[in-house]
Amino acid sequence: MNGKSIRNRGNENMGSGLFRAGMRRLAGGVTIITSLDAEGRRCGITATAVCSLSTDPPSLVACVNRETSIAAVVEQRGVFAVNVLATAQRAVAETFAGRTGHQREDRFSVGDWGVAETGAPVLADAAVSFDCRLAESVTFGTHMILIGRVEATRCADGEAPPLLYGDGAFLTTCLASSPV
């Protein structure tokens, strides 16, 4: 693990409010990023800033706010899991987003949680879970970019339509109409 820091050289005249409003319109898949600290206590957050990076080696990118407990824990422990949620798992998303009053370990009372090979918590019925080792982290502005080397991938049996988040709300998918 080696961490880098990049100085933000953005447009200082543009307020963060306008940027946030624009980014709210970018829908993304809802995930729960989880890890556990040195004492074995689990932590996790709801996140949409996750994407694939490479198939060789299998790796992904996840972006987390530096102020969250997950950022410090992942950097310290070097392991995390990305649990991709299905539409039926909105309650899990709400809980890990901090909207239900549950704190840290108590959040894991919502959903059926197991343990991945790395020790990171995985949601038993997630649409897919990626068990990762931290390959690199980069600090940029308010966030930490986690580059995870995927050690294992577990896909749910059957259909698991993805839960999405966009424009400040949880969304479901439907097929777009065919072009005329």
Side-chain angles (χ1 to χ4, degrees), residues 25-147:
R25 295 186 181 189
L26 176 63
V30 180
T31 69
I32 305 297
I33 301 174
T34 59
S35 191
L36 71 162
D37 65 19
E39 289 78 38
R41 292 176 300 182
R42 301 175 292 182
C43 61
I45 60 166
T46 301
T48 57
V50 174
C51 68
S52 64
L53 177 61
S54 174
T55 57
D56 188 20
S59 51
L60 57 77
V61 172
C63 302
V64 299
N65 189 304
R66 290 183 305 147
E67 299 298 317
T68 61
S69 61
I70 194 85
V73 169
V74 170
E75 194 159 51
Q76 177 189 55
R77 296 289 303 205
V79 299
F80 64 100
V82 175
N83 300 276
V84 180
L85 300 187
T87 56
Q89 296 164 323
R90 179 177 174 169
V92 177
E94 296 273 9
T95 300
F96 281 82
R99 296 180 178 172
T100 62
H102 291 81
Q103 297 297 314
R104 199 161 165 150
E105 182 70 33
D106 291 340
R107 292 178 176 181
F108 291 90
S109 67
V110 179
D112 181 16
W113 293 90
V115 179
E117 289 179 30
T118 63
V122 288
L123 186 60
D125 57 349
V128 62
S129 292
F130 299 99
D131 187 21
C132 302
R133 292 202 184 277
L134 184 63
E136 189 171 344
S137 65
V138 178
T139 300
F140 185 89
T142 58
H143 280 63
M144 182 179 294
I145 303 162
L146 307 174
I147 299 173

Side-chain angles (χ1 to χ4, degrees), residues 87 162-164 170-174:
T87 56
L163 181 62
L164 304 175
F170 289 102
L171 309 168
T172 58
T173 58
C174 64

